[in-house]
Amino acid sequence: MGKGCNSAALMLALAMSGCGGKAPEAAPAVQEDPAFARQQQQWRMQRYQELTAPDGWTTLVGLHWLEHKAHYIGRGPGSGIRLAVGPDKLGMVSRQGERWSFTPERGVPLSVDGMAVTGRIAFNSDHDPQPTRIAFDDGKGQLSLLQRGQRFALRIKHADAASRSGFSGLDYWPGGPQWQVRARFLPHPAGKTLPIVDITGLTTAMPNAGLVEFQRGGTTYRMEAIAEPGAPLFLIFADRTSGHGSYPAGRYLDTEAPGADGHVLVDFNHAYNPPCAFTPFATCPLAPPENRLDLRIEAGERAYHPPKESAP
């Protein structure tokens, strides 16, 4: 290599000091805590596996509101509710008083908990202790009943959904240990609820055991928690990144139950997108006004961008 000032390599190294000067020292590399990195990788892998499981959120292919006392359902043109997948005739969903039932189409192989469905069965919703999940298409499809307020809907999942096979993966903000916040838990009186609006416009009173309070940059922030007393906390929040790199409607975060010292660890690195970020067939609760933070939380999941061919 030549020693003159015209050497391209030397020009790059000496740009700030002139010909023959001393090259600037490189900034010291930031060392990431290996334990923290492993923890985040494990959480992200579990999150990915849950989303893309054969019955995960990326398998949703339909949401059908039940407007009558009885509906014939199936993929064929003769069905009152047309499904995107499955046999032409799947069966009939009907209501008697406050209870729903399902009657299968003769000859169509269906099962519940591995047992064949050959006649009318009780069709329990997600508000019942044991919801009914009807499997079809050799177990790849799943039919279930949702209750939202006074309304009911059919939810359809299928393992071959394009939103699953074309899932483009998750993207994350840089985050870091500084976003693992030790927050104070302030309990509410027993029985308190918080009105939560979902993406369909329905308002539901949810149990509101208390709020979490933390400080960032000398400012105190508070978030109301969805939980029964003594249980793990579910936080729904929006922040200054919502619609600006994060999912516009906000994100979710789970914590353990508050400790005996009245504190809880809020790890914003584990903030995740609601199901509505991945499918138009979910009914996601939205962040209440109390949880809209004047703070940029550059940790956790960024907004999801589906491949163009599988975008709804």
Side-chain angles (χ1 to χ4, degrees):
M1 180 186 294
K3 296 182 180 180
C5 275
N6 290 331
S7 167
L10 287 176
M11 287 178 66
L12 180 61
L14 305 178
M16 296 184 64
S17 58
C19 181
K22 182 180 179 182
E25 294 182 2
V30 177
Q31 298 295 322
E32 186 176 42
D33 179 3
F36 172 80
R38 283 195 302 271
Q39 179 198 51
Q40 297 309 308
Q41 185 61 30
Q42 290 171 357
W43 184 87
R44 293 177 182 183
M45 180 60 68
Q46 180 179 352
R47 167 73 173 153
Y48 180 90
Q49 291 172 345
E50 290 175 351
L51 277 175
T52 59
D55 62 348
W57 288 116
T58 58
T59 68
L60 263 64
V61 294
L63 179 69
H64 305 275
W65 294 100
L66 301 176
E67 305 296 344
H68 307 292
K69 287 187 177 181
H71 298 265
Y72 285 101
I73 60 176
R75 192 175 184 180
S79 299
I81 291 181
R82 295 282 300 275
L83 306 183
V85 294
D88 286 346
K89 295 181 179 181
L90 191 65
M92 182 180 71
V93 176
S94 57
R95 184 174 185 174
Q96 299 84 32
E98 297 301 316
R99 306 302 301 173
W100 288 87
S101 64
F102 175 81
T103 304
E105 182 71 18
R106 183 173 297 179
V108 176
L110 306 172
S111 65
V112 173
D113 297 330
M115 302 295 293
V117 177
T118 58
R120 190 173 72 173
I121 60 171
F123 199 2
N124 297 332
S125 78
D126 61 339
H127 280 213
D128 291 311
Q130 293 184 319
T132 304
R133 297 180 178 87
I134 302 171
F136 60 93
D137 274 1
D138 295 323
K140 292 190 294 184
Q142 185 184 104
L143 172 71
S144 58
L145 182 66
L146 307 185
Q147 181 179 358
R148 297 294 180 266
Q150 298 301 312
R151 301 182 69 195
F152 290 84
L154 297 177
R155 170 175 283 168
I156 317 298
K157 294 183 177 183
H158 203 282
D160 292 340
S163 50
R164 180 182 182 232
S165 60
F167 185 64
S168 61
L170 298 169
D171 189 23
Y172 290 87
W173 291 98
Q178 70 273 20
W179 285 107
Q180 292 179 318
V181 177
R182 184 170 169 79
R184 188 162 64 118
F185 178 73
L186 303 175
H188 290 319
K192 185 180 182 303
T193 61
L194 183 69
I196 298 292
V197 181
D198 69 26
I199 203 166
T200 71
L202 176 70
T203 299
T204 303
M206 294 191 173
N208 180 208
L211 60 83
V212 296
E213 180 182 83
F214 66 95
Q215 290 193 337
R216 186 80 181 176
T219 301
T220 299
Y221 299 93
R222 288 182 166 187
M223 291 189 291
E224 296 289 345
I226 305 302
E228 297 286 356
L233 308 182
F234 176 48
L235 305 173
I236 310 173
F237 72 92
D239 66 283
R240 285 294 182 181
T241 71
S242 300
H244 302 278
S246 294
Y247 184 61
R251 290 179 286 172
Y252 296 167
L253 202 156
D254 303 307
T255 80
E256 295 183 352
D261 62 354
H263 286 77
V264 63
L265 179 66
V266 178
D267 190 346
F268 285 105
N269 296 287
H270 294 174
Y272 60 95
N273 291 325
C276 294
F278 310 103
T279 174
F281 304 118
T283 59
C284 304
L286 306 175
E290 296 88 343
N291 291 7
R292 296 169 188 168
L293 306 178
D294 187 14
L295 173 68
R296 282 186 63 83
I297 300 178
E298 296 183 346
E301 284 182 16
R302 296 175 64 98
Y304 176 68
H305 300 288
K308 290 183 179 180
E309 61 271 17
S310 64

